[in-house]
Amino acid sequence: MPKIIAAKTIVTCPGRNFVTLKIVTDEGVYGIGDATLNGRELAVEAYLTQHVIPCLIGRDAHQIEDIWQFLYRGAYWRRGPVTMAAIAAVDTALWDIKGKIAGLPVYQLLGGACRTGVMVYGHANGETIEETLDNAAQYAAQGYKAIRLQTGVPGMKGTYGVSKDKFFYEPADGDLPKETVWSTERYMRSTPALFEAARVKLGDDLHLLHDVHHRLTPIEAARLGKDLEPYRLFWMEDATPAENQASFRIIRQHTTTPLAVGEIFNSVWDCKQLIEEQLIDYIRATVVHAGGITHLKKLASFADLYHVRTGCHGATDLSPVCMGAALHFDLSIPNFGVQEYMRHTPETDAVFPHAYTFQDGMLHPGDAPGLGVDIDEELAAKYPYQRAYLPVARRLDGSMHDW
């Protein structure tokens, strides 16, 4: 049996912060897992270093399921983003080790490929509708089959999803939280116009997506979904905060626009009602924030019973380690829908060399043993941690709103 003899965390900031867990066995094989939690990176790093790693030493690295259960059931204070990101890092690293020992890419260990590649969507944005659609046309020219559209709201300074660099979006950009201003009324008026213009310019063959980012009440989201129906969206994402899962009943009663949610979910319990009542069409939980490949595979199997497909979160606050793991997962499950793909900066790609590739709107994890992603520790050490926060949002009257 490959015995775990060492484990450590690696914190690096090649343009943004990442936390990576490295597990080493007595056979000299190592695996890596992503433990990044945007804006709370050091909390996960401390949980791993102080609580998890001491429990790993001496264990059989092949016992992935048992180690997952130990870390989940053995912690009296279960779930939450810090705990589940730490468990995910361990789980992902162990799958990496198992694949390397077997000499197989992880997707083969998960049952093999269900498709030739993983359809991904890019992120087109701009201050105006015209600028957003020009950016979308560039994505289409690169072969993307699915594109998310976000545009500035008239009269508002700064809007979620609109970035200075149109291809590398990083919202965590302040030493302290940046305070933004929000108007639901203005947003509700401007968004349908974006998609009306998009269908005229981009045609009917492209999949179009939109992220509401938890900004609306259920009835507001129902209205927006109804207004967007003529433009046949692939999905409307995170329409309302989902702590109250039953709130999606109101949205579902009033619109046929497909609904996606879940990038901040930690486990199947965050979406059990949403799936069982078929209140959503896509579950967006991701490897690093939902307990790793082991738990996400179970969640996907549960969702498949209710015709819910996957659409894993894939923003730049997830390292290439997580992206590689997500692609192996995506390739292997029958109810895959689409994978979010925000390209990392060249600095990040250099720190995390990887085997996955993009072609014709799809990613493929490659056939290197394990995850096919590594970390250059010497280069990573040249980018020290820098404190950064996600923004917050206030309404026009100054009261707090969901960012």
Side-chain angles (χ1 to χ4, degrees), residues 115 118-121 209 234-235 259-262 271 275 280-287 295-304 306-313 326-340:
R115 54 194 51 82
V118 174
M119 184 175 74
V120 298
Y121 66 90
L209 302 85
F234 187 90
W235 77 35
L259 303 174
V261 74
C271 52
I275 291 171
I280 58 173
D281 303 280
Y282 297 91
I283 178 64
R284 300 202 63 247
T286 194
V287 173
H295 187 63
L296 203 59
K297 182 127 176 114
K298 294 175 182 178
L299 196 161
S301 295
F302 173 60
D304 194 28
Y306 298 93
H307 308 287
V308 175
R309 294 193 285 170
T310 66
C312 290
H313 181 53
L327 294 175
H328 286 280
F329 165 78
D330 295 337
L331 201 65
S332 69
I333 61 170
N335 57 323
F336 167 76
V338 71
Q339 170 67 51
E340 181 178 18

Side-chain angles (χ1 to χ4, degrees), residues 64-376:
I64 298 176
E65 180 69 39
D66 184 68
I67 291 174
W68 194 98
Q69 296 294 335
F70 176 86
L71 295 175
Y72 182 84
R73 294 177 182 270
Y76 186 67
W77 311 106
R78 295 183 183 180
R79 299 167 58 196
V82 173
T83 297
M84 296 306 284
I87 292 175
V90 174
D91 185 79
T92 305
L94 294 179
W95 278 107
D96 193 22
I97 289 171
K98 189 179 285 285
K100 289 175 179 177
I101 291 175
L104 292 170
V106 167
Y107 76 82
Q108 294 288 16
L109 304 179
L110 299 176
C114 285
R115 54 194 51 82
T116 57
V118 174
M119 184 175 74
V120 298
Y121 66 90
H123 295 71
N125 68 89
E127 296 293 340
T128 65
I129 290 176
E130 292 75 18
E131 186 178 344
T132 298
L133 298 186
D134 287 344
N135 189 229
Q138 293 184 52
Y139 276 102
Q142 295 171 30
Y144 283 83
K145 299 175 176 64
I147 305 171
R148 191 186 84 170
L149 303 181
Q150 309 290 141
T151 196
V153 176
M156 305 298 297
K157 182 180 180 181
T159 304
Y160 166 76
V162 178
S163 59
K164 295 178 181 178
D165 190 315
K166 299 308 175 190
F167 291 98
F168 301 102
Y169 177 57
E170 176 48 62
D173 61 356
D175 188 53
L176 289 173
K178 179 188 297 182
E179 298 198 8
T180 62
V181 180
W182 176 252
S183 169
T184 296
E185 295 78 12
R186 296 177 185 179
Y187 165 77
M188 294 278 284
R189 289 195 297 267
S190 63
T191 301
L194 166 64
F195 285 91
E196 180 181 17
R199 281 302 178 203
V200 171
K201 178 165 183 170
L202 302 174
D204 294 324
D205 292 336
L206 281 173
H207 298 302
L208 301 182
L209 302 85
H210 181 65
D211 185 4
V212 182
H213 218 245
H214 308 106
R215 299 293 179 96
L216 303 178
T217 65
I219 198 64
E220 289 168 346
R223 164 59 68 186
L224 181 61
K226 192 170 184 178
D227 288 346
L228 293 175
E229 283 179 10
Y231 314 115
R232 302 170 305 285
L233 269 63
F234 187 90
W235 77 35
M236 182 172 71
E237 175 187 339
D238 291 346
T240 193
E243 287 92 340
N244 178 8
Q245 296 180 45
S247 65
F248 273 70
R249 293 173 181 164
I250 297 173
I251 309 173
R252 202 56 139 180
Q253 289 167 359
H254 294 283
T255 181
T256 58
T257 294
L259 303 174
V261 74
E263 70 180 47
I264 63 172
F265 289 175
N266 306 142
S267 78
V268 66
W269 300 106
D270 294 316
C271 52
K272 181 174 180 288
Q273 183 179 7
L274 291 171
I275 291 171
E276 285 180 332
E277 296 187 21
Q278 295 178 268
L279 301 178
I280 58 173
D281 303 280
Y282 297 91
I283 178 64
R284 300 202 63 247
T286 194
V287 173
V288 66
H289 296 146
I293 294 172
T294 295
H295 187 63
L296 203 59
K297 182 127 176 114
K298 294 175 182 178
L299 196 161
S301 295
F302 173 60
D304 194 28
L305 299 176
Y306 298 93
H307 308 287
V308 175
R309 294 193 285 170
T310 66
C312 290
H313 181 53
T316 49
D317 60 329
L318 312 180
S319 85
V321 182
C322 183
M323 177 57 72
L327 294 175
H328 286 280
F329 165 78
D330 295 337
L331 201 65
S332 69
I333 61 170
N335 57 323
F336 167 76
V338 71
Q339 170 67 51
E340 181 178 18
Y341 178 44
M342 281 188 177
R343 287 177 290 178
H344 291 100
T345 63
E347 293 80 8
T348 295
D349 286 336
V351 170
F352 297 97
H354 51 266
Y356 61 78
T357 55
F358 174 85
Q359 185 176 3
D360 297 328
M362 296 195 293
L363 284 172
H364 193 285
D367 289 308
L371 295 177
V373 184
D374 206 346
I375 183 169
D376 185 331

